Amino acid sequence: MSDLATRAPASVSGRSPTAVHRPESLEALAALVRSRDGGTLLPVGGGTRLELGNAPTRPFALVELSAAVRGEILHEAPDLTVVVPATATIAEVNRVLAAEDQWLPLDPPHPELATIGGVLAVGAGGPLRSRHGLPRDLVLGMSVLRADGELVKAGGRVVKNVTGYDLMRLWCGSLGTLGIITEVALRVLPMQSTVDLEVSFVQLDRALALAERLYRGDLRAHVLSLSRIDGEWRMF
């Protein structure tokens, strides 16, 4: 597991925590959640998106998850699935998948820091969502530690699984308010060969016209980005 997410932030939305908890096991984490006595706990994985959501309105404590939520990355290449602990980073998972020419189409900022659990908790990916959907669309199963300290599961580890309520879509994007994500089963994709292209324009309307042609033509770009750099428009 990565040791990148081992230091809690000094503040969240300008407010300092009253304490920082570092449970060493899932059992210790569950005990901490059960004993919070009405207090507010803020789980921290990679700590890259803590600015999202409402700022704490009362005293709160941070809970670092890197030691408590651990496990192996279990890749089932023939099934195009992977089961990962929630503290595994996007980069770690993709390094494992790359050995079998597969990948996870999630591209949040700072993939070396951003954890699977954190990306799902905030429900926000990157530009790849325009082609591959939101992070929740890749989820097959999930384990979550509820506020009462009970570990619950939904979904499974295979693609064809439609039994029961889809609690996973409820948990994704809940910002940890409905529980702490501990393990996730995801579907992955075969790795594709890609080519990076860059075109420069003086006038914005010509750049937009080309972007429109690419969008309507038989060419599916993974990402199409238009930026103003050094006095000209550049399309990537």
Side-chain angles (χ1 to χ4, degrees):
M1 294 302 300
S2 171
D3 60 356
L4 294 173
T6 57
R7 292 184 298 174
S11 65
V12 177
S13 299
R15 298 193 58 188
S16 298
T18 58
V20 177
H21 301 287
R22 297 180 175 88
E24 295 293 326
S25 66
L26 188 58
E27 292 75 16
L29 176 61
L32 173 64
V33 171
R34 284 193 294 267
S35 64
R36 64 190 177 92
D37 194 25
T40 298
L41 297 178
L42 198 161
V44 178
T48 62
R49 309 298 290 273
L50 291 178
E51 76 280 2
L52 299 181
N54 296 327
T57 58
R58 57 181 180 176
F60 66 97
L62 297 180
V63 183
E64 291 189 356
L65 303 176
S66 56
V69 181
R70 295 176 291 182
E72 297 182 11
I73 297 174
L74 305 177
H75 182 203
E76 294 292 339
D79 297 330
L80 291 174
T81 63
V82 66
V83 179
V84 301
T87 52
T89 67
I90 301 297
E92 284 176 333
V93 174
N94 272 324
R95 279 194 288 269
V96 172
L97 299 179
E100 297 290 343
D101 292 326
Q102 296 179 6
W103 71 305
L104 183 65
L106 291 177
D107 59 339
H110 312 295
E112 289 285 352
L113 288 170
T115 63
I116 292 290
V119 171
L120 294 175
V122 302
L128 286 176
R129 68 182 182 274
S130 62
R131 179 168 184 178
H132 299 287
L134 294 170
R136 69 183 188 186
D137 297 323
L138 300 173
V139 177
L140 301 173
M142 189 181 293
S143 297
V144 171
L145 185 67
R146 296 189 318 203
D148 60 0
E150 292 295 322
L151 190 65
V152 297
K153 298 181 180 182
R157 299 189 177 190
V158 295
V159 175
K160 294 183 178 180
N161 190 333
V162 294
T163 303
Y165 296 106
D166 193 355
L167 295 175
M168 298 173 292
R169 287 183 175 266
L170 183 65
W171 291 329
C172 291
S174 65
L175 296 170
T177 59
L178 301 179
I180 299 173
I181 301 171
T182 60
E183 186 180 75
V184 185
L186 301 155
R187 63 182 181 90
V188 299
L189 300 178
M191 195 174 292
Q192 299 176 330
S193 298
T194 60
V195 177
D196 295 332
L197 300 176
E198 179 180 344
V199 185
S200 298
F201 298 89
V202 176
Q203 297 177 336
L204 176 60
D205 58 345
R206 293 191 175 184
L208 295 176
L210 177 58
E212 182 72 13
R213 289 180 61 188
L214 293 174
Y215 175 74
R216 296 186 179 280
D218 190 19
L219 179 63
R220 299 184 179 182
H222 276 282
V223 177
L224 188 62
S225 175
L226 185 62
S227 304
R228 182 75 168 174
I229 302 175
D230 297 331
E232 62 182 9
W233 293 97
R234 296 185 187 177
M235 181 181 296
F236 303 91

